[in-house]
Amino acid sequence: MREALGGLTVRGRAFLAAGVTALVCAVLLDQTALARVGILVVALPLLTAWVVSRNRYRLALVRTVTPQLVAAGQPARVTLSLTNDGRTPNGVLLLEDQVPYVLGTRPRFVVEGIGTGWKQVVTYQVRSDVRGRFEIGPMSVRVTDPFGLVELGRAFRTTVPLVVTPRTVPLPQIPLGGAWTGSGDNRPRAFATGSAEDVTVREYRRGDELRRVHWRSSAKVGELMVRREEQPWQSRATLFLDNRAGAHRGHGIASSLEAAVSAAASVAVHLTHRGFAVRLVTATGEDPSSAWHVRGADLNTGPLLEALAVLQAVPQAHLDTGWLAEGTHGGLTVAVFGAVGPHDLPVLRRMQHQAGSALALAVDAAAWAGATPGDGAVQALAQQGWRAAALAPRDRLDAVWQELGHTSAHNARSAVRTPPSTASQAPTSRPATGVAG
């Protein structure tokens, strides 16, 4: 009862004050009729508070979010399933779901006519232009009487997460280069050439497809021989993202870091669709939750984009090199850099030396700070052997990626046209090439 009296609304308190005033005036003026009115006005909010306090409602809530992983700018639908498990009917319910401000305004619903076994489903949409991981809920419930004199509050404790991934841009097909480690651009072609020395064969078994028969080996052995199943080769790509705070400029969604994260997400999706297993490495080292995301999986529900969704700037000044101590060489490395300093050059050289092919997108952080755009990062990367292109605030990511592909093709054609005498006099280090942004 004390809780119900504390839940009196402005109208309920006004009724109570008016009733007390009427009783005082009735005593002073000796008006019996006025006293009756005062008793009625005082009794109404008190009786309502007693009834509401005796109401033992049992509401159950099931909240679902579809999908739970959504790209920035895309809507997600929240479904609320409410049921009344109590035996007594309830009054009017005022429902308000707690939603972070970046997802929109808090949805509010008014529900009435709640009886035993009552059930209702309500839905609403949320949308965020900011990446991140957000909690939807808990829901607050306020029970009120039909007169609006008393209002009691309750709250559910359950919440549901919603992960908003960075925006992605479809990227065109470009020659990636690099030594192959499996399927992808440089998939082994031994089975297609049909050489008995290069092809692993076995005897024919019932049910084998005739198109797998290796006729040269069959003629040599004198019985049908078929090619073995292709080995599960798999190309691997390392996606590096420089998320140091000192390497980027700007704040919020208009910062160079957000542009770098969006570019990294687009490259991750592109490489996965091309058959690569992708791992994410940041300035603090390799992310264990997204190491070697297997090809063929749905990246939109994988851990790599989730890691990019919650990635934040780190205050450290130097790049972590622990992931470079694996001793493996070859494969593809695609990096997204911000501002590059002289102390970063040894790390860039090690990264390029360990990769079979090293491509870089250099985010022009100076342009995000309002300064004159420059190509200092591209030149520094090119001097270390990277194939690099600059990404300015107004540049289209797909166009810059295509430009990076033209650079790769140009370098390949130049290498083919190099005379043997010139190649023999060339230094052992890789040629430094790049594209000015």
Side-chain angles (χ1 to χ4, degrees):
M1 185 64 181
R2 181 179 300 178
E3 182 185 6
L5 291 176
L8 287 173
T9 62
V10 176
R11 182 182 299 178
R13 297 177 186 275
F15 266 70
L16 193 61
V20 172
T21 303
L23 288 176
V24 172
C25 293
V27 172
L28 295 177
L29 301 176
D30 193 18
Q31 295 290 331
T32 306
L34 184 59
R36 294 172 182 171
V37 174
I39 294 174
L40 177 62
V41 175
V42 170
L44 184 60
L46 296 178
L47 181 62
T48 302
W50 179 79
V51 173
V52 172
S53 65
R54 297 283 295 178
N55 192 359
R56 295 292 184 265
Y57 65 92
R58 295 178 57 189
L59 291 179
L61 170 65
V62 177
R63 181 191 292 105
T64 57
V65 180
T66 309
Q68 287 191 330
L69 194 70
V70 63
Q74 299 298 320
R77 181 175 297 275
V78 182
T79 303
L80 305 175
S81 179
L82 291 164
T83 56
N84 180 26
D85 298 333
R87 297 182 178 180
T88 59
N90 294 296
V92 180
L93 297 184
L94 305 178
L95 309 178
E96 182 179 7
D97 212 7
Q98 305 296 320
V99 175
Y101 72 96
V102 296
L103 297 180
T105 58
R106 294 181 177 179
R108 298 175 180 177
F109 310 94
V110 178
V111 181
E112 56 184 349
I114 301 175
T116 304
W118 172 88
K119 182 177 181 179
Q120 186 169 351
V121 178
V122 294
T123 61
Y124 64 92
Q125 283 189 347
V126 293
R127 188 180 69 88
S128 173
D129 292 327
V130 181
R131 63 181 177 87
R133 188 180 189 275
F134 308 100
E135 294 290 337
I136 299 179
M139 171 177 284
S140 60
V141 181
R142 303 195 68 84
V143 183
T144 183
D145 65 287
F147 303 102
L149 302 178
V150 180
E151 186 176 288
L152 298 180
R154 297 288 188 273
F156 293 94
R157 297 182 180 180
T158 59
T159 61
V160 174
L162 173 65
V163 179
V164 180
T165 61
R167 297 178 184 269
T168 58
V169 177
L171 300 180
Q173 298 278 349
I174 64 171
L176 298 176
W180 56 262
T181 56
S183 63
D185 277 354
N186 302 294
R187 187 172 181 173
R189 304 297 182 184
F191 292 156
T193 57
S195 173
E197 292 76 11
D198 298 332
V199 179
T200 303
V201 296
R202 60 170 175 81
E203 67 278 3
Y204 175 83
R205 299 172 186 171
R206 185 175 181 180
D208 289 337
E209 298 180 3
L210 292 179
R211 62 184 179 87
R212 291 175 51 199
V213 174
H214 193 263
W215 299 108
R216 183 175 299 180
S217 299
S218 300
K220 184 177 180 179
V221 177
E223 59 179 344
L224 286 179
M225 304 293 292
V226 296
R227 295 187 294 267
R228 289 184 180 271
E229 295 289 344
E230 296 184 8
Q231 300 300 318
W233 297 96
Q234 185 179 80
S235 290
R236 291 186 172 186
T238 298
L239 176 61
F240 180 84
L241 175 59
D242 186 1
N243 61 327
R244 294 174 298 172
H248 295 278
R249 303 293 183 271
H251 301 280
I253 60 176
S255 65
S256 61
L257 176 61
E258 291 302 315
V261 172
S262 178
S266 302
V267 172
V269 174
H270 177 74
L271 294 179
T272 302
H273 290 168
R274 293 187 64 170
F276 284 86
V278 185
R279 68 169 174 174
L280 177 64
V281 179
T282 63
T284 57
E286 184 176 356
D287 186 355
S289 64
S290 60
W292 297 123
H293 182 86
V294 296
R295 67 183 180 91
D298 185 4
L299 189 60
N300 293 326
T301 58
L304 199 149
L305 285 184
E306 293 186 32
L308 288 174
V310 298
L311 184 137
Q312 301 295 330
V314 293
Q316 68 184 52
H318 298 277
L319 298 174
D320 181 84
T321 59
W323 62 279
L324 290 173
E326 299 177 355
T328 58
H329 295 269
L332 173 66
T333 297
V334 181
V336 182
F337 291 103
V340 176
H343 58 279
D344 298 324
L345 298 183
V347 180
L348 300 180
R349 189 179 302 110
R350 288 184 59 188
M351 292 173 60
Q352 191 276 338
H353 177 71
Q354 186 168 344
S357 179
L359 287 75
L361 294 173
V363 177
D364 194 347
W368 260 270
T372 303
D375 57 354
V378 173
Q379 293 179 356
L381 290 166
Q383 291 173 0
Q384 307 305 319
W386 290 76
R387 298 196 300 270
L391 180 64
R394 296 186 179 182
D395 290 342
R396 292 180 51 183
L397 179 59
D398 54 350
V400 175
W401 183 257
Q402 186 72 54
E403 180 182 359
L404 193 61
H406 291 332
T407 304
S408 304
H410 174 73
N411 292 340
R413 289 193 298 268
S414 300
V416 171
R417 290 195 300 264
T418 302
S421 58
T422 305
S424 61
Q425 300 174 1
T428 56
S429 60
R430 301 174 186 266
T433 56
V435 177

